Structure formats: C-alpha cells, structure tokens
Amino acid sequence: MPLPRRTPLSTGASRLLASRRRVLSSALGLGALAATGSLAACGSDTSASGLAAQPAVDLTGATIKLMVNQPHVLAFTELLGPAFEQEFGGRLEVTAVPYDQLTSKQILDVQGGDGEFDVFDYFYFGLGELVNAEALVDLTDWIGANGDIGTDDFLPSVYDPYTLLDGKRYGLPFDGDTHVLYYNAEVFERYGVAPPTTWDEYDAAAAKITRDSGGSVYGAIVEAQQVPMILGCSFINRLAGYGGTLVDADGAPAFAGEEGLAALQHLITVAPSALPTPLQTGFDQANSAFLAGKGAMLDTWTDLGLKAQDPASSQIVDKWGVVTLPVGGRNTTPRTALDSGFGLGVSSASGQQDKAAAFVKWATDEERNFLLSSTAGSGIDPARTSVLRSEEYAAAAGEATDVIREGLEGEPLVWPKQAGAPKALQDLVDQLALAIQGEREPQAALDEAAENWQRELG
C-alpha cells in the first residue's frame, strides 16, 4: 500500500497549486490582491463587535502575529510562513502554546491588556469561552459579504461546529480533526490477528500480540494523558463506538449511561495490554511508539498516515493499515468524533483586524488547505470538500483516504462548545483518570463528571 512521501511544495502539491491557480486567482487575487474584500480598518481599537466588508485589503508587507497550537508550528512556520512571504513580501510571527493552555492564554492576551496577537488558532470546544471573554471578533457580516471565501466548500461536518455560536460566526475552519484506527499490518500478520471491527476484537488482538510477543510489541497504544485533547478523545472515540453521545437533545450530560460505562471500562480493560503507561501517554509519545513499530494499534488523528509513509519519520513504511473506529455493545454503525478541531479567528485586541481577517481568508482557502493536509508533519487535515475529494489529496493520504472521507463526510460526534465547555471536559477527564487508576469505581466517576457538567453547562 505505497503512499507517496509528501514534502512542502512536492510535485503533487505543485501540480494542484498550478491547476487551481486560475480558479483561485479570480476569487482571491494573486500577489498584493490575494486577500481582497475584507474588513473595515480598526486602527488600535480593541473590539469584539462585528466587522463589515471593505474594498480590497492589501497584505503586501504585512506582519501577522499568531498564537497557535503547539502541534501546528510546522504548518505556520514552514508552510504558510514561506508562502505568505513569497506572495506578499510579509511575514508571520508565530507563538506556539501547549494545547492544554491554548484557550486560557488567548483569553489572557485580550483581557490582560497585552493585545499582542492578530489571529488565534483556536480549539472549537473553546469557542464559547473565547466569545464569552469577548476575545474573538464577530465575522458574520464579513463572511457573508465575501462570497469568494467559498463557505459552501467547507465540510458541513465541521463548518458550523467550528465557527458558529448563537447564530454568529467567529472564524473559518482550519483543521478538520477526526480519528481513525491505525494498525501495524506486519505485526498483525506475524501474530495472526485481523483488523478489528469491534472493541471486543480490539481487546483480543491487543492481548494476543502483547502476550505472544513477550512484550517486545504492545498490542495497543492508548493515549490517556489527563487533558481533554488526549484522554477526552480516547474516551469519546469509544463512547461513539458504543453508540453513545456526550449530551442529549436538551443539552444535558448523556455519557454516564451504559454506553459511557462500556467506553470507560474498555480503557481500563485494555491498559495491561497497552504501551505503559497510558495516563502518561500523549500524542507525541504515542505517534513515536507507533512509527517505531513498538505498538500495533493506535486510534488517532488522520494525518498520522502521512508520517507513517515518510522514511524520515517512520520505521513502518508500507507496513501499516487503517480502518474506521470499532463499534461495541448493541451499536453496529461506525462513527467517529470531531476530536479537538481548530478554526482561525481574529483577536478582538488586534490593531489590524482588517489584515488579520484577510489572512484568515487566505490561510483557509482551498490552495492552503490542500498544501497543509497533504504534507507530513503539518498536523492539519482537510476542512474543505474540494480538498477531501480531490485525486491529489487521495494520492497523499493513500490507503487512509476512504476511511478519512467516511468520517469527515458522515455525522461525527460533536463536542460541546458553549462557555464552560473546557472546564466541563477537564472535569470529565479528571474523573476518567481516577477510574483508570483504580481510585474510583467507573460508574461513580461518570456520575460525578455528569454532575459537574450539569453545573458548568446548565
């Protein structure tokens, strides 16, 4: 299952960039006119109020300051930064923040008075907190006035969840995050196991591989570091697989029932067969172990396949496979989740909100979304239908293409994003960790988390 290695401005990427340039040039402009139709200038005013469209905003020579998620550093510094400099003669000043501090740091920059940044790379589940703190500019009217953004091209599964709150839009989708299950095909063949379709099959495969290999290979890698982006994803993947959801139709917590209990119990059951120690395993450690051939299964973000097929970062080139997340219990319909996920928004403290919004438009267009989602190490997945369905993206994603498309074009489980959501999610993973450590009974942990959610989210 060969997958072509992708590098910045690789041959495949260059072909797509060239083939689409004629279409994009009329909508986005090239050179100094690439980000036209943007915002009314705001000077040094700091405001979260809505901004209207203006004639062309010239990004020539502009400096844009961004606060971004740490794993997105390559995307901004090695891909978008050089492209921005080449096209506009401008530069990006990028500050990376650990994912567990991202939302709070963005709020602090606005409310603390520093106002250092123009653009925020934000978690969608932190959107309500950012809006409540008046840290993001309302872009509703601006988006509506800029038809060349191509909002109908954003994947329906991510467009509203990532940008819309109480009828207003505060950004554009940047990273279409879902999870799939990667497996080491060579290890599976060696120990006579098949790719799992159920979580029970996953458990059996993990136990057999760990046992039969004498621990030289662990049957599973479980990401359970105690933050929503890590343990939260692992639990929610299993919750979706068992047919559960985070909240019911009325917004009340719904994860403490039989589906949630099965999901949590699965994390407890698989731990002895997993790479030690799950509660200390984040995605950096998990990815490294899988790419080194030390673990046979890993449910994680879809861009891992590009790294797995890159000899510079992988010892398992041509030795891996990918399937949809397993199902469990009475559920027979596979379902993924919008695990983390990011938009780009304009800081209300920016002194150049017009240029910041023009950059957001440029950085999330079709050309940039393809470049990022087809380059190993960028950490960015498709957010546009045109990219997801393109032959060029399929060439980059290889074996993972159909599984990625199935997840993003389906109805993935959406995390809550209203004010209070980050605190509620942290309360949940704190209780999950106690149960995994054996310090609380699983049902009691889930019940406590549900009570906390009711208080935090109402």
Side-chain angles (χ1 to χ4, degrees):
M1 51 187 170
L3 180 74
R5 181 180 176 185
R6 312 300 291 185
T7 58
L9 302 181
S10 64
T11 301
S14 297
R15 283 200 304 269
L16 181 68
L17 302 187
S19 68
R20 302 202 192 284
R21 188 164 281 114
R22 290 188 299 273
V23 176
L24 291 167
S25 61
S26 63
L28 302 171
L30 292 176
L33 299 178
T36 60
S38 202
L39 304 177
C42 299
S44 60
D45 182 38
T46 60
S47 172
S49 60
L51 298 175
Q54 270 250 358
V57 173
D58 189 352
L59 284 173
T60 300
T63 296
I64 305 295
K65 296 183 178 182
L66 305 100
M67 184 188 294
V68 310
N69 182 37
Q70 179 70 49
H72 290 168
V73 167
L74 183 149
F76 286 98
T77 61
E78 297 188 27
L79 297 174
L80 292 181
F84 189 76
E85 182 177 5
Q86 181 179 6
E87 188 163 344
F88 303 110
R91 63 192 179 96
L92 305 183
E93 293 185 0
V94 178
T95 298
V97 175
Y99 44 79
D100 58 340
Q101 302 174 33
L102 186 63
T103 301
S104 60
K105 289 283 190 182
Q106 289 170 344
I107 292 172
L108 182 62
D109 181 67
V110 173
Q111 293 191 340
D114 289 341
E116 180 181 353
F117 299 97
D118 301 305
V119 173
F120 290 147
D121 172 28
Y122 66 84
F123 277 120
Y124 86 92
F125 66 78
L127 185 59
E129 287 288 283
L130 291 165
V131 171
N132 192 54
E134 298 186 342
L136 288 176
V137 174
D138 175 4
L139 298 180
T140 309
D141 293 340
W142 172 75
I143 292 171
N146 283 267
D148 56 340
I149 291 173
T151 57
D152 59 348
D153 186 41
F154 287 121
L155 290 161
S157 60
V158 305
Y159 185 42
D160 284 356
Y162 284 16
T163 68
L164 187 66
L165 188 71
D166 297 331
K168 297 180 179 180
R169 295 198 188 273
Y170 293 90
L172 294 176
F174 181 60
D175 183 14
D177 277 341
T178 59
H179 277 200
V180 295
L181 180 65
Y182 287 95
Y183 65 92
N184 188 312
E186 183 180 57
V187 170
F188 270 39
E189 182 177 358
R190 183 187 311 153
Y191 295 105
V193 296
T197 60
T198 70
W199 288 112
D200 286 344
E201 292 173 357
Y202 172 104
D203 285 344
K208 179 174 173 43
I209 291 168
T210 301
R211 180 184 66 249
D212 291 358
S213 72
S216 62
V217 179
Y218 292 96
I221 301 170
V222 177
E223 298 175 309
Q225 197 176 76
Q226 201 169 325
V227 293
M229 187 175 172
I230 306 298
L231 178 52
C233 291
S234 294
F235 172 74
I236 292 167
N237 289 344
R238 288 154 179 79
L239 178 67
Y242 281 98
T245 188
L246 289 167
V247 295
D248 62 21
D250 297 321
F255 54 77
E258 64 177 279
E259 299 90 355
L261 183 60
L264 175 52
Q265 189 61 56
H266 183 269
L267 289 171
I268 296 169
T269 300
V270 76
S273 301
L275 180 80
T277 48
L279 287 171
Q280 297 175 20
T281 301
F283 66 83
D284 285 333
Q285 299 94 328
N287 286 356
S288 296
F290 184 76
L291 296 174
K294 296 179 180 178
M297 289 184 287
L298 173 61
D299 51 302
T300 193
W301 288 276
T302 57
D303 65 304
L304 180 63
L306 280 75
K307 286 186 178 180
Q309 202 60 20
D310 184 350
S313 59
S314 173
Q315 299 177 36
I316 59 169
V317 174
D318 294 331
K319 299 176 182 177
W320 57 275
V322 60
V323 292
T324 57
L325 294 175
V327 297
R330 291 174 290 181
N331 182 46
T332 59
T333 304
R335 188 186 190 193
T336 187
L338 290 184
D339 288 332
S340 69
F342 293 84
L344 294 185
V346 175
S347 168
S348 62
S350 170
Q352 51 175 5
Q353 294 176 4
D354 54 345
K355 288 182 170 60
F359 171 82
V360 168
K361 176 181 176 181
W362 176 84
T364 60
D365 70 17
E366 180 185 13
E367 191 169 350
R368 256 54 64 179
N369 189 230
F370 170 76
L371 174 64
L372 296 174
S373 61
S374 63
T375 301
S378 75
I380 305 300
D381 299 300
R384 286 186 174 271
T385 301
S386 57
V387 172
L388 184 65
R389 300 303 305 180
S390 71
E391 293 181 2
E392 295 87 350
Y393 175 72
E399 172 135 345
T401 302
D402 290 342
V403 179
I404 295 170
R405 287 174 175 170
E406 180 182 349
L408 284 169
E409 292 180 339
E411 296 182 358
L413 191 158
V414 178
W415 295 20
K417 60 183 177 181
Q418 65 265 49
K423 175 65 165 59
L425 286 160
Q426 186 62 53
D427 288 344
L428 171 59
V429 299
D430 289 345
Q431 291 298 319
L432 296 175
L434 290 173
I436 293 169
Q437 290 169 334
E439 296 181 15
R440 294 209 73 175
E441 290 296 319
Q443 187 63 63
L446 292 171
D447 289 342
E448 177 68 22
E451 291 178 12
N452 292 338
W453 273 52
Q454 197 68 53
R455 286 194 299 270
E456 293 292 338
L457 303 182

